[in-house]
Amino acid sequence: MIEKKILIVDDDKDILMMLEARLSKAGYKVLKANSGVDAIAIAKSEHFDLIILDIVMPDKGGEEIAEELKNNPGTENIPILFLTCLYTKKEEMKQGHKIDGNVIFAKPYNPQELLKEINSLLVSKV
């Protein structure tokens, strides 16, 4: 089986380290970016099966990054999952992890639920 590659983007280094450890343990190859500019450059230079984006970041927000990637032929089909503190757990659960057509997980997230959603997104991509 081919190892799936995930790009995680967050300006919080602790979140990047925790996510990288969890996803690596689950068998995914993980690359990290701690800024929007770096995320776009990395996403355009390599193939990813999924991108996990924080929405609130100092240079470029996750929504802006997602829009730029969706408008690029090389990255337009990569599923994006938002991990954010902009929504509450209650809002997230009420919407079934989907808000405005995007997959959203509120921080702090449930690691098992997040892995289940990641697996689902990657299986549906095949």
Side-chain angles (χ1 to χ4, degrees), residues 4-9 23 28-29 31 47-53 77-82 103 114-115 117-119 121-122 125:
K4 300 287 186 176
K5 192 179 341 180
I6 299 174
L7 174 62
I8 51 176
V9 185
L23 294 174
Y28 297 111
K29 181 174 182 183
L31 272 76
H47 168 78
F48 290 94
D49 297 290
L50 175 70
I51 297 174
I52 299 174
L53 282 176
N77 294 318
I78 302 170
I80 293 174
L81 183 149
F82 289 110
V103 177
L114 182 65
L115 275 175
E117 186 65 36
I118 289 169
N119 290 333
L121 284 168
L122 293 174
K125 187 177 182 259

Side-chain angles (χ1 to χ4, degrees), residues 68-125:
E68 190 167 332
L69 294 175
K70 292 298 178 192
N71 289 326
N72 181 297
T75 56
E76 66 186 348
N77 294 318
I78 302 170
I80 293 174
L81 183 149
F82 289 110
L83 197 58
T84 184
C85 58
L86 283 181
Y87 293 97
T88 65
K89 285 304 275 181
K90 187 175 180 181
E91 289 172 311
E92 171 198 319
M93 297 310 285
K94 182 178 173 187
Q95 299 293 328
H97 297 296
K98 295 206 180 349
I99 298 175
D100 295 333
N102 295 302
V103 177
I104 304 268
F105 273 78
K107 293 176 186 175
Y109 61 90
N110 177 306
Q112 290 79 21
E113 285 181 25
L114 182 65
L115 275 175
K116 183 178 175 187
E117 186 65 36
I118 289 169
N119 290 333
S120 174
L121 284 168
L122 293 174
V123 167
S124 68
K125 187 177 182 259

